[in-house]
Amino acid sequence: MAIDKLLKDEATEEKGERARMSSFVGAMAIADVVKTTLGPKGMDKILQSAGRGQSVTVTNDGATILKSLHIDNPAAKVLIDISKVQDDEVGDGTTSVVVLAGELLREAEKLVAVKIHPMTIISGYRMAAECARDALLKKVMDNKEDAEKFKSDLMKIAMTTLSSKILSQDKEHFSKLAVEAVMRLKGSTNLEAIQIIKKAGGSLRDSFLDEGFILDKKIGIGQPKRIENANILIANTAMDTDKVKIYGARVRVDSMSRVAEIEGAEKEKMREKVQKIIAHGINCFVNRQLIYNFPEELFADAGIVAIEHADFDGIERLALVTGGEIASTFDNPESVKLGHCKLIEEIMIGEDKLIHFSGVEMGQACTIILRGASFHVLDEAERSLHDALCVLSQTVVDSRVLLGGGWPEMVMAKEVDELARKTPGKKSHAIEAFSRALQAIPTIIADNAGLDSAELIAQLRAEHHKEGSNAGIDVISGAVGDMEKLGISEAFKVKQAVLLSATEAAEMILRVDEIITCAPRRREDRM
């Protein structure tokens, strides 16, 4: 007796050829979505949410675009995941990794069509990826010992990263900001210490870096606007209980004077709490919650700056940079760790007043203030700057540097091609396909700039057959140029992550031969 149906009613399955086709098509479609954002002349996308308010994001950051897409195709989801991981891991190369994986699958599709088994293709890709990585390792430069050279390397990497983003017009200015901020971290990759504040108004060029920490709040009324050698107590506690607030409880009193007594007791309780806080020997109190008028008066009388409603992100960061801890009870002052800084003052940026903490414990802390015409510009500028900061902080740890502009892809493609010629059997087709996929990245960079990619790539390949060539695509002049002279550099870590992630993702999608979609759960199933 044959089994007619194995799966539930609405469950679907695709097998063999169809499953593979649907995976390939989904992955290539995703790669095509972000393909046009690659390179210095890449275009931006507008993402509009369907929710309330229909917020609009303008971006050309691969990870941001893909995160916002809601997609059914399972293979496409794998690519979205690798771009997210690339974003978390090294910060840049989110578009390249998806495009490379898409190209590898496009090449694999042709090979599967001529009856080469997916496992053969995978083992060929494995060999090719290993060979490509070795090719890059032979060519890396490392200037960690020479501080001047290393700093110029960092500047070049920052400028290359920013040249494909909205900040490309002022990339020198922003590269300086990013390099200074990362140099302050002294080798740690903790970007928490770099705070980015966005203030609309002015132009992008008015952005600046400020040592210390800026809190987007105002100082209370009647309190000193400037404090030197501050001891800061950072707290998350309720300072708004000087009014009767007993919800759901009924208090019966026989006269108004009794109500006054209760209020008086509340006030006394509050006064005691404030006395305890003042007993810590502080001159600045930052609270995450509200501070009502009465405690604020008491603080003002004691000459203490009280800052209320500092958002959670703000106080977490403030605790980190001033070396304090967030307290919520004040009974034993000796166990509370206070924060310290040399000067607290109020500053103006644009129309707004902010509080500036300078000379903080953690010397590496700094704040970048971004100015710009609109919030969309500022959001995109923040994403671009964040990419640059991530790449730089990773480069400070792993200081190996490569040239950019399609140069690394051509170097890898040349080595992989040679490997294909030496390898016997069907694997050589897969290895050759890998080299074609690598060359697709410079091709797309040229296409996006409106150049004749076929002509340029042919010239590039010829250049790379000479020993020690530094040729890459110079998008500005529209010809093949010397990447070293143009100062176009990339971090080795980014390139390596792109290469390995894309190969692994392509491999994973290639292994698929069946897609089973579960039946949706019905309401009555749950009864």
Side-chain angles (χ1 to χ4, degrees), residues 215-220 223 239-240 285-293 295-296 305-311 315 355:
L215 199 63
D216 199 349
K217 288 282 165 263
K218 296 185 178 65
I219 289 178
Q223 295 170 350
M239 300 296 285
D240 52 1
F285 176 69
V286 182
N287 192 18
R288 189 188 163 203
Q289 300 177 27
L290 280 171
I291 302 178
Y292 266 12
N293 309 3
E296 195 168 48
V305 175
I307 302 163
E308 63 172 6
H309 239 215
D311 55 351
I315 73 165
I355 306 167

Side-chain angles (χ1 to χ4, degrees), residues 194-466:
I194 301 174
Q195 183 197 18
I196 298 178
I197 286 186
K198 299 176 287 194
K199 283 281 167 215
S203 72
L204 281 170
R205 194 158 291 181
D206 302 337
S207 308
F208 60 94
L209 179 111
D210 198 311
E211 60 94 24
F213 182 86
I214 293 180
L215 199 63
D216 199 349
K217 288 282 165 263
K218 296 185 178 65
I219 289 178
I221 300 160
Q223 295 170 350
K225 300 280 186 219
R226 179 188 166 96
I227 286 187
E228 291 184 6
N229 295 331
N231 293 329
I232 309 163
L233 177 62
I234 302 160
N236 183 2
T237 180
M239 300 296 285
D240 52 1
T241 46
D242 57 334
K243 296 193 169 63
V244 173
K245 277 209 294 192
I246 308 173
Y247 297 116
R250 295 172 66 180
V251 183
R252 283 212 175 141
V253 286
D254 43 20
S255 69
M256 275 311 283
S257 58
R258 286 298 173 87
V259 179
E261 271 176 37
I262 294 177
E263 286 196 345
E266 287 266 339
K267 251 185 165 170
E268 271 313 304
K269 203 171 145 200
M270 196 72 230
R271 185 176 272 124
E272 272 175 34
K273 189 169 187 178
V274 173
Q275 294 302 320
K276 276 184 192 165
I277 290 172
I278 296 174
H280 287 64
I282 55 169
N283 47 14
C284 173
F285 176 69
V286 182
N287 192 18
R288 189 188 163 203
Q289 300 177 27
L290 280 171
I291 302 178
Y292 266 12
N293 309 3
F294 177 61
E296 195 168 48
E297 258 172 57
L298 296 178
F299 283 127
D301 293 344
I304 289 176
V305 175
I307 302 163
E308 63 172 6
H309 239 215
D311 55 351
F312 195 65
D313 193 31
I315 73 165
E316 283 271 298
R317 223 184 227 137
L318 184 61
L320 177 83
V321 283
T322 55
E325 280 173 7
I326 300 173
S328 46
T329 56
F330 311 103
D331 291 331
N332 31 3
E334 64 283 345
S335 66
V336 173
K337 204 171 166 199
L338 298 180
H340 300 284
C341 79
K342 292 203 176 101
L343 176 68
I344 298 178
E345 59 186 339
E346 200 169 54
I347 56 169
M348 290 278 292
I349 296 178
E351 306 286 296
D352 303 337
K353 288 183 175 166
L354 302 104
I355 306 167
H356 182 227
F357 297 78
S358 53
V360 289
E361 281 281 294
M362 190 173 168
Q364 54 252 59
C366 59
T367 303
I368 295 175
I369 289 92
L370 289 179
R371 307 298 310 275
S374 74
F375 288 111
H376 299 136
V377 173
L378 285 174
D379 287 343
E380 177 61 357
E382 182 189 21
R383 278 190 290 271
S384 312
L385 197 60
H386 184 260
D387 280 5
L389 290 173
C390 284
V391 174
L392 291 176
S393 67
Q394 293 290 343
T395 313
V396 171
V397 177
D398 180 351
S399 56
R400 291 173 291 184
V401 177
L402 296 161
L403 296 175
W407 176 85
E409 282 79 13
M410 295 310 284
V411 167
M412 293 191 277
K414 180 185 165 198
E415 288 288 325
V416 172
D417 249 348
E418 281 173 15
L419 175 69
R421 294 208 189 95
K422 294 178 201 154
T423 310
K426 285 185 179 176
K427 279 185 201 167
S428 63
H429 293 295
I431 298 174
E432 212 172 313
F434 194 94
S435 130
R436 282 199 298 276
L438 283 170
Q439 287 174 24
I441 288 191
T443 311
I444 293 166
I445 293 178
D447 280 340
N448 286 348
L451 306 172
D452 181 354
S453 59
E455 170 70 21
L456 270 177
I457 299 302
Q459 285 181 12
L460 251 186
R461 205 176 312 140
E463 280 293 317
H464 272 272
H465 270 282
K466 301 173 188 164

Side-chain angles (χ1 to χ4, degrees), residues 66 100 116 126 134 151 154 159 185 194 247-248 303 343 347-348 371 398 520 526:
L66 294 178
L100 183 56
I116 293 179
R126 274 274 168 88
D134 293 342
K151 195 165 180 189
L154 287 181
M159 285 190 342
L185 292 178
I194 301 174
Y247 297 116
L343 176 68
I347 56 169
M348 290 278 292
R371 307 298 310 275
D398 180 351
R526 296 182 193 165

Side-chain angles (χ1 to χ4, degrees), residues 19-263:
R20 201 164 284 130
M21 277 309 299
S22 111
S23 304
F24 285 165
V25 169
M28 288 190 272
I30 281 287
D32 289 343
V33 168
V34 290
K35 198 187 258 188
T36 51
T37 65
L38 193 68
K41 294 280 176 95
M43 302 308 244
D44 289 10
K45 309 260 183 253
I46 289 185
L47 310 168
Q48 186 173 15
S49 78
R52 276 212 315 257
Q54 302 209 325
S55 62
V56 171
T57 312
V58 184
T59 180
N60 76 352
D61 177 42
T64 311
I65 295 169
L66 294 178
K67 247 186 270 179
S68 316
L69 300 178
H70 291 286
I71 278 179
D72 267 351
N73 188 298
K77 285 186 178 159
V78 173
L79 292 199
I80 294 176
D81 270 355
I82 58 170
S83 92
K84 274 188 200 157
V85 170
Q86 180 80 9
D87 197 30
D88 300 340
E89 185 73 14
V90 282
D92 196 21
T94 49
T95 312
S96 316
V97 72
V98 175
V99 170
L100 183 56
E103 289 301 327
L104 286 171
L105 290 167
R106 188 164 307 199
E107 294 295 337
E109 187 189 17
K110 295 175 196 163
L111 296 176
V112 172
V114 295
K115 298 280 183 284
I116 293 179
H117 194 279
M119 283 302 162
T120 316
I121 302 175
I122 286 173
S123 62
Y125 276 6
R126 274 274 168 88
M127 288 166 67
E130 206 43 52
C131 164
R133 189 167 166 268
D134 293 342
L136 283 188
L137 279 170
K138 283 181 208 150
K139 301 267 186 179
V140 291
M141 297 166 285
D142 193 343
N143 292 331
K144 187 125 199 200
E145 308 309 315
D146 185 344
E148 274 304 302
K149 266 190 180 167
F150 186 51
K151 195 165 180 189
S152 84
D153 272 354
L154 287 181
M155 278 295 289
K156 284 177 190 167
I157 288 175
M159 285 190 342
T160 307
T161 300
L162 292 175
S163 64
S164 63
K165 309 266 193 282
I166 192 170
L167 303 175
S168 59
Q169 301 309 312
D170 310 308
K171 61 183 177 190
E172 291 198 4
H173 177 62
F174 282 102
S175 302
K176 274 205 188 81
L177 294 189
V179 171
E180 267 181 48
V182 168
M183 289 302 241
R184 284 179 166 245
L185 292 178
K186 302 189 178 59
S188 95
T189 51
N190 180 14
L191 294 180
E192 283 289 304
I194 301 174
Q195 183 197 18
I196 298 178
I197 286 186
K198 299 176 287 194
K199 283 281 167 215
S203 72
L204 281 170
R205 194 158 291 181
D206 302 337
S207 308
F208 60 94
L209 179 111
D210 198 311
E211 60 94 24
F213 182 86
I214 293 180
L215 199 63
D216 199 349
K217 288 282 165 263
K218 296 185 178 65
I219 289 178
I221 300 160
Q223 295 170 350
K225 300 280 186 219
R226 179 188 166 96
I227 286 187
E228 291 184 6
N229 295 331
N231 293 329
I232 309 163
L233 177 62
I234 302 160
N236 183 2
T237 180
M239 300 296 285
D240 52 1
T241 46
D242 57 334
K243 296 193 169 63
V244 173
K245 277 209 294 192
I246 308 173
Y247 297 116
R250 295 172 66 180
V251 183
R252 283 212 175 141
V253 286
D254 43 20
S255 69
M256 275 311 283
S257 58
R258 286 298 173 87
V259 179
E261 271 176 37
I262 294 177
E263 286 196 345

